[in-house]
């Protein structure tokens, strides 16, 4: 069965791309992303937990928790020794993701339900790190709208993410709630935990109200605000809303702030599917082509396709679940998945645009060479950065969810 072979190789790829220090590479050394990005790294740990690779998950958490910066945040990316290798501004979703992932690890070891199994000692060891991360997130919360401010988020694209962005807010809210649950399990200070929970519930309510458009029947991408301390934000220099469809608008359900059965989630997913499923190649694009940040050419992304497959699995929609996961299986090359897939025409159009604008960095030049030399080029397809570790982790999670539901 091809789907199971892809699962088995995805597990192997996770193992192979974890450095002995614990960090999961975003892509292997010699490819475009030979660094440890807290976002990709956290998803890799979630994949390891799903595959019951608990030693690898623990090692990965030790790496990232030990790399926290003095104010409580986690850098955009690290080298294999845990040194800051960032070249972009604040991406607060990474801090939320680390907390959320640690919570999932603790839950998988038994959590507060099986105390004799739960890795409480691990949480206790890093409790000051957890506290600093929560407080850093809350430092970036705007009291007027109860949302968390960021410069970059999942797409690392400030033009559409600078402000109160849906993925960053969902990740941070879920991360704080995870910290509260872990704190309860280890007997942390009740007053502090109550304060955290109260703040997280404010953020959650703001996500579900301010960031949901009843007329569009969808969550929205971002409320643009330049300065987190603008008072009132209506007079902020950036004040506006990003209402274009984005795969990240699934984030409230992805981070379990709202049920996959909730009408807000279902309506949002219908909109994402309608506008972002690629009619030519298949698979799910991450955002509209007209955003014009289509590194390697516009096209579908395997990990976003896997993420939405989980929605259909949860809702017992086997037909769409198989459409989404089946596409991932079909597009894998030698049981490996790229970052995304484009057509040669789209790819060369992107190369032309970036060449004319003189904005091709060395990493992109290397990516162009590797893409043109990949065997799938002969089939008319541009496979961008293969393997990327993130989609393998998401596939592991989706495959296990599918097998639990339908097999």
């Amino acid at each position: 069965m091809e789907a199971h072979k892809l699962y088995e190789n995805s597990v192997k790829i996770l193992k192979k791309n974890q450095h002995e220090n614990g960090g999961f590479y975003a892509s292997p050394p010699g490819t475009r992303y030979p660094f440890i990005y807290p976002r990709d790294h956290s998803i890799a740990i979630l994949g390891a937990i799903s595959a019951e690779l608990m030693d690898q998950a623990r090692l990965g958490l030790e790496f990232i928790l030990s790399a926290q910066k003095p104010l409580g945040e986690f850098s955009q990316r690290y080298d294999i020794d845990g040194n800051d290798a960032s070249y972009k501004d604040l991406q607060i979703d990474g801090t939320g993701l680390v907390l959320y992932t640690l919570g999932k690890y603790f839950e998988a070891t038994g959590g507060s339900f099986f105390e004799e199994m739960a890795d409480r000692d691990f949480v206790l060891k890093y409790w000051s790190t957890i506290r600093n991360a929560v407080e850093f997130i809350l430092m970036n919360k705007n009291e007027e709208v109860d949302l968390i401010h960021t410069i970059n988020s999942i797409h690392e694209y400030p033009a559409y993410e600078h402000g109160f962005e849906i993925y960053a807010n969902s990740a941070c809210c879920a991360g704080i709630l995870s910290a509260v649950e872990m704190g309860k399990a280890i007997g942390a200070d009740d007053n502090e935990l109550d304060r955290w929970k109260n703040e997280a519930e404010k953020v959650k309510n703001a996500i579900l109200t301010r960031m949901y458009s009843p007329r569009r029947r969808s969550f929205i991408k971002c409320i643009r605000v330049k300065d987190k301390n603008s008072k009132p934000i209506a007079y902020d220099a950036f004040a506006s809303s990003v209402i274009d469809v984005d795969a990240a608008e699934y984030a409230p359900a992805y981070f379990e702030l709202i049920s996959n059965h909730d009408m807000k989630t279902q309506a949002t997913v219908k909109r994402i599917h309608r506008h972002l499923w690629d009619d030519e190649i298949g698979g799910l694009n991450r955002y509209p082509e007209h955003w014009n940040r289509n590194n390697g050419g516009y096209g579908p992304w395997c990990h976003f396709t896997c993420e939405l497959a989980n929605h259909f699995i949860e809702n017992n929609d086997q037909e769409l679940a198989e459409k989404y996961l089946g596409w991932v299986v079909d597009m894998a090359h030698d049981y490996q998945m790229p970052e995304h897939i484009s057509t040669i025409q789209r790819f060369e159009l992107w190369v032309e645009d970036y060449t004319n604008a003189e904005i091709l960095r060395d990493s992109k030049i290397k990516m162009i060479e590797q893409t043109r030399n990949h065997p799938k080029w002969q089939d008319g397809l541009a496979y961008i950065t293969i393997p990327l570790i993130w989609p393998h982790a998401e596939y592991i999670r989706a495959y296990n969810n599918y097998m639990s539901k339908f097999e």
Side-chain angles (χ1 to χ4, degrees), residues 334-345:
D334 288 341
Y335 306 107
Q336 297 183 48
M337 288 172 271
E339 174 195 79
H340 77 282
I341 300 166
S342 189
T343 64
I344 290 179
Q345 181 178 1

Side-chain angles (χ1 to χ4, degrees), residues 2 57 82 119 169 197 200-201 204 221 234 282 296 319 322 334 385:
E2 294 299 293
D119 199 349
N169 272 269
K197 185 173 182 180
E201 291 296 337
K204 179 179 176 180
K221 169 65 174 174
E319 181 179 351
E322 290 183 351
D334 288 341
T385 311

Side-chain angles (χ1 to χ4, degrees), residues 150-355:
T150 193
I151 297 174
N152 282 296
S153 187
I154 187 169
H155 304 316
E156 297 188 328
Y157 196 18
Y160 292 90
E161 296 182 326
H162 191 147
F164 307 123
E165 192 271 341
I166 187 79
Y167 187 90
N169 272 269
S170 298
C172 289
C173 181
I176 296 173
L177 291 172
S178 294
V180 170
E181 292 305 310
M182 288 185 284
K184 289 178 181 177
I186 64 168
D189 181 69
D190 286 338
N191 291 329
E192 183 170 60
L193 298 181
D194 288 344
R195 179 173 63 86
W196 290 355
K197 185 173 182 180
N198 182 54
E199 293 299 315
E201 291 296 337
K202 289 179 184 177
V203 175
K204 179 179 176 180
N205 182 65
I207 292 170
L208 300 182
T209 54
R210 298 184 188 279
M211 302 199 76
Y212 183 80
S213 170
R215 291 183 181 275
R216 294 182 182 85
R217 302 192 69 201
S218 177
F219 287 103
I220 65 167
K221 169 65 174 174
C222 186
I223 300 170
R224 281 196 190 103
V225 174
K226 183 178 182 180
D227 186 346
K228 69 183 178 188
N229 295 316
S230 289
K231 292 181 181 181
I233 62 171
Y235 293 90
D236 182 90
F238 285 7
S240 59
S241 294
V242 179
I243 49 82
D244 289 336
V245 64
D246 184 327
E249 289 158 9
Y250 176 61
Y254 182 87
F255 287 107
E256 303 170 297
L257 302 179
I258 187 172
S259 168
N260 273 289
H261 305 292
D262 191 283
M263 288 305 299
K264 288 182 178 180
T265 305
Q266 297 204 30
T268 298
V269 170
K270 284 180 181 178
R271 181 174 181 246
I272 293 171
H273 175 75
R274 182 168 63 250
H275 292 286
L276 293 183
W277 184 263
D278 197 295
D279 292 333
E280 183 177 4
I281 310 175
L284 199 70
N285 294 298
R286 56 178 177 167
Y287 47 59
E289 187 171 8
H290 69 251
W291 283 14
N292 290 327
R293 184 176 175 269
N294 305 313
N295 293 328
Y298 189 69
W301 291 57
C302 295
H303 48 283
F304 289 117
T305 306
C306 288
E307 286 180 15
L308 245 65
N310 282 311
H311 168 77
F312 301 121
I313 294 166
E314 183 66 23
N315 280 283
N316 292 305
D317 189 339
Q318 189 169 4
E319 181 179 351
L320 276 176
E322 290 183 351
K323 177 177 181 175
Y324 272 60
L325 285 182
W327 177 84
V328 173
V329 173
D330 290 343
M331 300 307 284
H333 177 76
D334 288 341
Y335 306 107
Q336 297 183 48
M337 288 172 271
E339 174 195 79
H340 77 282
I341 300 166
S342 189
T343 64
I344 290 179
Q345 181 178 1
R346 299 179 197 176
F347 177 84
E348 295 295 358
L349 182 63
W350 167 78
V351 172
E352 176 185 286
D353 290 343
Y354 272 53
T355 300

Side-chain angles (χ1 to χ4, degrees), residues 37-46 61 64 74 91-104 137 154 167-168 170-176 178 254-255 390 394 397:
Y37 295 75
R39 185 183 301 114
D40 301 57
H41 180 75
S42 295
I43 303 299
I45 294 171
L46 291 174
L61 285 165
I64 195 64
F74 295 94
Q91 302 185 15
I92 203 168
D93 64 292
T95 302
L97 258 168
V98 170
L99 292 174
Y100 176 77
T101 301
L102 176 58
K104 286 298 180 184
I137 291 171
I154 187 169
Y167 187 90
S170 298
C172 289
C173 181
I176 296 173
S178 294
Y254 182 87
F255 287 107
W390 187 338
E394 292 288 11
R397 301 180 76 201

